[in-house]
Amino acid sequence: MIESHDFIQNSVRLYPNPNDGVFILTLTVPERKDIVVTVTDIMGHIVYDTAMELMAGMHETVVDMDDPASGIYLLKMQIGDYEIFKKLIIR
């Protein structure tokens, strides 16, 4: 299971970063996974969240946060009991 987590962790990409609230999230999963993506501001308020069911393979998703304020945000991907965090900069 650890190898699967490392594989997913190493495949996650977020670009462009910085951005204006619209960005592309890519990841590869080795098997079907339920994933929850949450973006929080520096105060911990949820400004975006969505759930996805992904089949094995590479995936590319456009995320549109609908005109967020400029600042630093935290993107969290919940994949089962595993979490991946990425810093997100909105200009």
Side-chain angles (χ1 to χ4, degrees):
M1 192 61 132
I2 296 297
E3 290 133 5
S4 176
H5 291 163
D6 287 344
F7 178 80
I8 295 169
Q9 171 77 36
N10 291 332
S11 79
V12 174
R13 300 286 180 263
L14 169 72
Y15 63 90
N17 194 19
N19 61 66
D20 60 0
V22 178
F23 57 92
I24 297 171
L25 181 63
T26 65
L27 73 150
T28 302
V29 292
E31 59 193 26
R32 190 200 73 75
K33 296 284 184 184
D34 292 320
I35 297 175
V36 177
V37 177
T38 306
V39 178
T40 56
D41 65 16
I42 199 151
M43 300 300 291
H45 300 114
I46 295 173
V47 296
Y48 177 87
D49 68 320
T50 190
M52 301 179 259
E53 179 183 353
L54 302 180
M55 298 299 149
M58 186 179 146
H59 300 273
E60 184 174 283
T61 302
V62 176
V63 176
D64 186 347
M65 293 176 50
D66 195 26
D67 198 29
S70 296
I72 298 174
Y73 292 79
L74 184 64
L75 179 136
K76 177 176 88 170
M77 296 180 64
Q78 179 79 40
I79 306 167
D81 61 350
Y82 185 65
E83 297 175 329
I84 297 173
F85 295 92
K86 297 283 184 182
K87 182 169 72 171
L88 175 63
I89 301 171
I90 305 296
R91 53 182 166 184

